């Protein structure tokens, strides 16, 4: 394996409960953007293993009128600064800004880049000069698993593996290779698999590495 493709919200940074709308979503304000624990260390570990890293993220907030393009760039600067301070680096970032029900007409479309489509992953693989079969796809949502599976990546799900998620993915034949509680654990699983250390067992129809 040569590269790791990462979703952003829920993997790199925390999701936010927006009380006014009653929804859990990506951050809309600078003060809401916070990296999850041990993310810089996890990315440094991936770097140290010689794996290239890219972020591939649906970001429809601009299309929906939740934030301005400048705010998305501010989030990006903060994210990269925090990762660098922990000794890690991201090689490239690709966002899909579209949404089929966007308030902005120029962003209202059904595109090839919005996950679960594979366009973002294809762009990242081309930029990193790797094949998608040589990539891990790490995400916290069903669209991430679908996109990764369709692209031929090895997928890792971040979060609690709930019954309703498992039922959906079994129907789609897209069970992840691993389930991890966070990016740090996912990076350790990747290290164990790549180095051949740790014991691989089956749990709830998913593979788990005991380290």
């Amino acid at each position: 394996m040569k590269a790791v493709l990462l979703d952003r919200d829920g993997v790199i940074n925390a999701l936010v409960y927006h009380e006014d709308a009653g929804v859990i979503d990506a951050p809309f304000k600078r003060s809401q953007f916070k990296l999850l624990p041990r993310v810089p260390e996890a990315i440094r570990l991936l770097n140290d293993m010689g794996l290239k890293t890219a972020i591939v993220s649906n970001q429809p907030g601009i299309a929906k009128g939740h934030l301005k393009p400048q705010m998305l760039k501010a989030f990006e600067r903060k994210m990269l600064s925090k990762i660098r301070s922990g000794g890690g680096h991201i090689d490239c970032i690709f966002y899909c800004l579209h949404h089929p029900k966007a308030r902005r007409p120029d962003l209202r479309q059904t595109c090839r880049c919005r996950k679960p489509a594979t366009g973002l992953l294809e762009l990242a693989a081309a930029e990193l000069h790797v094949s998608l079969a040589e990539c891990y796809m790490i995400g916290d949502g069903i669209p991430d698993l679908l996109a990764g599976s369709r692209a031929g990546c090895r997928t890792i799900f971040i979060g609690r593996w709930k019954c309703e998620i498992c039922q959906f993915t079994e129907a789609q034949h897209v069970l992840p290779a691993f389930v991890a509680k966070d990016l740090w654990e996912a990076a350790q699983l990747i290290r164990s698999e790549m180095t051949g250390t740790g014991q691989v067992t089956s749990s709830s129809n998913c593979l788990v590495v005991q380290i």
Side-chain angles (χ1 to χ4, degrees):
M1 306 298 280
K2 295 182 178 179
V4 179
L5 310 181
L6 301 158
D7 183 38
R8 198 197 76 174
D9 304 308
V11 175
I12 302 290
N13 60 276
L15 294 166
V16 177
Y17 175 64
H18 298 278
E19 189 172 359
D20 54 341
V23 297
I24 297 175
D25 204 340
F28 299 160
K29 303 176 182 177
R30 191 188 305 266
S31 61
Q32 295 172 333
F33 190 90
K34 298 177 182 179
L35 259 63
L36 289 163
R38 306 198 75 175
V39 162
E41 294 88 343
I43 292 174
R44 183 179 66 197
L45 177 56
L46 297 173
N47 298 153
D48 290 344
M49 285 187 280
L51 293 166
K52 299 178 180 179
T53 55
I55 292 174
V56 288
S57 178
N58 293 349
Q59 290 296 324
I62 297 170
K64 293 179 177 180
H66 295 318
L67 67 156
K68 301 292 185 183
Q70 302 94 301
M71 187 59 66
L72 182 61
K73 294 301 293 183
F75 293 161
E76 184 178 306
R77 288 193 297 270
K78 185 174 182 179
M79 173 183 68
L80 294 177
S81 176
K82 292 285 188 181
I83 291 171
R84 281 195 300 267
S85 69
H89 72 272
I90 298 292
D91 291 287
C92 56
I93 299 173
F94 291 94
Y95 300 131
C96 172
L97 303 181
H98 308 116
H99 193 277
K101 298 181 180 179
R103 292 174 59 184
R104 280 183 44 169
D106 60 319
L107 296 175
R108 188 187 306 128
Q109 59 175 285
T110 300
C111 60
R112 287 194 66 254
C113 55
R114 179 176 170 81
K115 294 176 294 184
T118 60
L120 283 186
L121 284 64
E122 292 165 4
L123 288 170
E127 179 70 18
L128 298 174
H129 303 289
V130 298
S131 74
L132 285 165
E134 297 171 321
C135 297
Y136 290 93
M137 174 68 220
I138 302 179
D140 68 326
I142 290 172
D144 303 310
L145 296 182
L146 287 172
S149 178
R150 291 168 180 173
C153 301
R154 192 150 174 76
T155 57
I156 301 178
F157 179 81
I158 298 292
R160 292 181 58 233
W161 192 245
K162 300 177 182 179
C163 290
E164 57 268 28
I165 298 175
C166 199
Q167 290 169 0
F168 180 87
T169 55
E170 282 180 347
Q172 297 288 326
H173 305 291
V174 291
L175 282 173
F178 301 120
V179 176
K181 66 180 180 181
D182 55 24
L183 186 56
W184 172 249
E185 185 174 284
Q188 291 180 307
L189 292 171
I190 289 173
R191 179 177 61 182
S192 294
E193 183 174 59
M194 290 184 63
T195 60
T197 59
Q199 179 183 357
V200 180
T201 61
S202 177
S203 174
S204 300
N205 297 321
C206 300
L207 292 179
V208 176
V209 174
Q210 296 178 344
I211 54 178

